[in-house]
Amino acid sequence: MADTRFLKDQVEQYVRAALKGEYGVGFDSRFLKLSTGGRHEFDAVSEDEQIVATIKSSSGKTAAGNLPSGKIQAVEAELYYLTLVDAPVRMVVLTTPQFFDIMRGRLKGKLAPGLHLKLVELPSELQALASRVQQKASREVSNTV
């Protein structure tokens, strides 16, 4: 079984460090209260809760060359949750240029005010490891269908 915890641990840690370098404040994973009364965990929340982000390390198109519809829907779901938190900066951070381009095109003119897509590319070694995990997980899913 693919160890997708690697993506959560290593990739998100890298992205949080990159955000800290850009914004000058620390980030961690945190549950925040939603305007609807519920709670949701966000991958990168600044210490002062002024910046809230979800991190997705999805690759681009599928092995068959199709759009990754499940991954697209996951980003769209996270955008919904981002609309329910009160923070000046709310974003989905993507780590692969291919998936960023897909989402940027798909969401052009459709993002709620105050929501942003951001690309934080991974170093080549980390991206290679993440890609291997993603490929293994993808093969496992396609073998169960």
Side-chain angles (χ1 to χ4, degrees):
M1 177 158 302
D3 185 7
T4 55
R5 288 178 304 179
F6 167 82
L7 298 177
K8 182 114 177 115
D9 296 341
Q10 299 299 314
V11 171
E12 290 182 9
Q13 181 180 348
Y14 176 84
V15 172
R16 285 191 287 267
L19 293 173
K20 179 180 181 179
E22 181 174 345
Y23 293 101
V25 63
F27 287 81
D28 59 14
S29 177
R30 193 178 312 167
F31 282 90
L32 295 178
K33 186 173 181 181
L34 305 175
S35 61
T36 56
R39 294 171 54 80
H40 183 74
E41 184 177 15
F42 293 95
D43 302 317
V45 179
S46 63
E47 293 169 346
D48 59 5
E49 295 187 358
Q50 297 298 296
I51 305 167
V52 178
T54 293
I55 301 166
K56 293 292 182 190
S57 59
S58 302
S59 56
K61 291 187 176 183
T62 66
N66 299 319
L67 288 177
S69 59
K71 295 171 183 174
I72 291 169
Q73 290 171 355
V75 168
E76 291 171 345
E78 288 300 323
L79 286 166
Y80 167 74
Y81 287 113
L82 285 166
T83 66
L84 301 177
V85 293
D86 183 25
V89 179
R90 297 167 290 152
M91 66 184 119
V92 173
V93 178
L94 305 174
T95 63
T96 57
Q98 301 84 1
F99 193 57
F100 178 78
D101 289 343
I102 290 168
M103 293 309 303
R104 182 175 51 187
R106 184 171 176 86
L107 295 171
K108 185 174 183 171
K110 298 178 183 176
L111 287 176
L115 295 181
H116 307 280
L117 285 179
K118 181 173 188 61
L119 175 63
V120 173
E121 289 188 66
L122 303 175
S124 57
E125 314 82 44
L126 185 56
Q127 182 58 58
L129 290 170
S131 293
R132 282 198 289 272
V133 171
Q134 292 163 342
Q135 289 168 356
K136 185 174 182 182
S138 179
R139 283 192 305 271
E140 290 172 359
V141 170
S142 63
N143 289 336
T144 61
V145 177

